[in-house]
């Protein structure tokens, strides 16, 4: 379980133990992963490579919804957490996942958690490092949607590359649904009349206990492997429904631009 905060991660692992890991379960281990730091992200991936002989499932589930801020490298923190570091983390782990995918009876998948907010940015560009670090004039929702659009474009381009190389990995992007998570409580708690808003949202939104259903379907449902041609590069709405994302999310040039610019930004950091 990758997380930047050891206390919160170990508390979550303890909850899993309390609720039960099921029969024939393994163990859940905390992996220090601070997506605001691409360097530490690379170290975390290399830690896995040094200790594991196979990797079957990777779920990238990052969400920074705050207004525009910069990392210590002067990059958009939102874009670094939501896209750039997951891009680096995934590509660093890809050789191990590729090797695993060629083992007998393997079923390797990469799931990138996106959002319906990917539709918010208008006329998005990913063709320069400057574009990748756009602030969107302090509009957190559009800024967040920009990173979530990147998740879908990255998924589709990665799937295309894997298919071209004959690697049988399935890459899926998803919208998890609308939930009032702990993080959402924190953000909404800053708003005026937050108590009333949280009460109303609690009535309207799906219970948070179901927030992982679509991720779990994409990562582990036998149906996905049985219908691999349909699910490869797909975008799923809850639960397991293949859906059409925005026109920008289906734009192959945007996907190519994003990949090239992401590689350029990673290289500029010496990674």
């Amino acid at each position: 379980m990758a997380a930047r905060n050891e206390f919160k991660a170990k508390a979550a692992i303890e909850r899993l133990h309390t609720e039960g890991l099921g029969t024939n379960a393994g163990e859940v281990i905390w992996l220090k992963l601070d997506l605001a730091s691409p360097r530490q992200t690379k170290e975390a991936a290399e830690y896995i490579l040094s200790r594991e002989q196979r990797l079957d499932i990777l779920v990238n589930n990052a969400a920074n919804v705050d207004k525009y801020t910069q990392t210590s490298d002067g990059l958009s923190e939102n874009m670094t957490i939501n896209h750039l570091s997951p891009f680096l983390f995934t590509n660093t782990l890809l050789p191990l996942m590729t090797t695993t995918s060629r083992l007998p009876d393997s079923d390797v998948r990469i799931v990138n958690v996106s959002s319906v907010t990917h539709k918010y940015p208008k006329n998005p560009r990913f063709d320069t490092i400057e574009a990748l670090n756009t602030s969107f004039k302090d509009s957190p929702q559009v800024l967040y949607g920009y990173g979530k659009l990147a998740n879908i474009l990255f998924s589709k381009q990665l799937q295309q590359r894997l298919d071209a190389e004959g690697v049988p990995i399935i890459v899926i992007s998803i919208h998890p649904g609308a939930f009032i998570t702990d993080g959402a409580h924190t953000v909404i708690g800053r708003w005026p009349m937050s108590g009333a808003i949280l009460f109303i949202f609690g009535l309207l939104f799906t219970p948070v206990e179901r927030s992982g259903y679509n991720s779990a379907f994409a990562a582990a449902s036998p149906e996905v492997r049985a219908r691999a041609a349909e699910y490869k590069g797909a975008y799923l709405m809850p639960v397991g429904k293949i859906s059409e994302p925005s026109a920008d999310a289906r734009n192959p040039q945007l996907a190519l631009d994003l990949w090239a610019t992401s590689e350029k930004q990673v290289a500029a950091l010496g990674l």
Side-chain angles (χ1 to χ4, degrees):
M1 179 186 289
R4 62 183 174 180
N5 186 303
E6 181 178 8
F7 176 78
K8 289 184 178 180
K10 291 189 174 180
I13 291 171
E14 184 58 35
R15 282 184 60 187
L16 289 173
H17 279 285
T18 300
E19 295 173 9
L21 292 176
T23 58
N24 300 318
E27 184 54 89
V28 182
I29 300 170
W30 171 58
L31 172 71
K32 179 177 175 56
L33 177 62
D34 183 0
L35 294 170
S37 169
R39 292 176 182 83
Q40 199 283 315
T41 296
K42 183 72 176 289
E43 291 173 2
E46 290 175 339
Y47 179 90
I48 294 175
L49 294 177
S50 69
R51 285 163 174 78
E52 301 295 336
Q53 295 182 330
R54 68 181 296 156
L55 179 59
D56 297 84
I57 298 169
L58 171 62
V59 180
N60 290 311
N61 181 35
N64 182 310
V65 297
D66 287 336
K67 65 181 181 180
Y68 181 84
T69 56
Q70 291 187 339
T71 68
S72 58
D73 293 303
L75 308 178
S76 164
E77 185 171 56
N78 186 290
M79 199 62 176
T80 299
I81 291 173
N82 292 352
H83 164 68
L84 189 65
S85 285
F87 172 88
L88 175 60
F89 191 67
T90 302
N91 278 300
T92 304
L93 292 172
L94 200 56
L96 178 59
M97 300 194 80
T98 298
T99 299
T100 304
S101 74
R102 301 194 187 285
L103 296 175
D105 301 319
S106 66
D107 182 5
V108 179
R109 305 184 199 177
I110 298 170
V111 181
N112 293 313
V113 180
S114 181
S115 167
V116 291
T117 63
H118 78 271
K119 301 175 182 180
Y120 289 0
K122 304 302 179 185
N123 302 313
R125 289 176 46 211
F126 296 98
D127 54 340
T128 65
I129 288 178
E130 290 74 22
L132 204 64
N133 290 293
T134 302
S135 68
F136 289 97
K137 298 180 180 178
D138 293 325
S139 175
Q141 288 185 324
V142 176
L143 177 62
Y144 178 67
Y146 185 59
K148 296 291 103 179
L149 172 59
N151 295 155
I152 301 175
L153 292 168
F154 168 50
S155 300
K156 290 185 176 296
Q157 181 62 17
L158 177 58
Q159 186 70 75
Q160 184 176 330
R161 288 168 177 255
L162 291 170
D163 289 348
E165 296 171 5
V167 179
I169 295 175
I170 297 174
V171 187
I172 296 174
S173 59
I174 72 160
H175 169 58
F179 311 95
I180 303 299
T181 61
D182 290 346
H185 268 277
T186 300
V187 173
I188 296 171
R190 303 169 189 157
W191 299 356
M193 301 181 64
S194 59
I197 293 172
L198 285 169
F199 175 77
I200 294 170
F201 281 4
L203 298 175
L204 297 175
F205 291 173
T206 306
V208 72
E209 290 78 11
R210 302 179 192 172
S211 60
Y213 281 17
N214 209 21
S215 295
F217 179 92
S221 171
E223 180 181 342
V224 172
R225 179 53 65 180
R227 298 165 53 196
E230 297 174 53
Y231 281 99
K232 283 186 173 182
Y235 171 70
L236 304 187
M237 294 289 287
V239 171
K241 300 174 184 176
I242 298 176
S243 304
E244 190 172 83
S246 69
D248 288 325
R250 304 191 310 273
N251 186 325
Q253 187 58 52
L254 282 179
L256 287 170
D257 288 347
L258 175 67
W259 191 286
T261 304
S262 299
E263 285 189 326
K264 187 182 297 184
Q265 180 66 88
V266 168
L269 295 171
L271 301 172

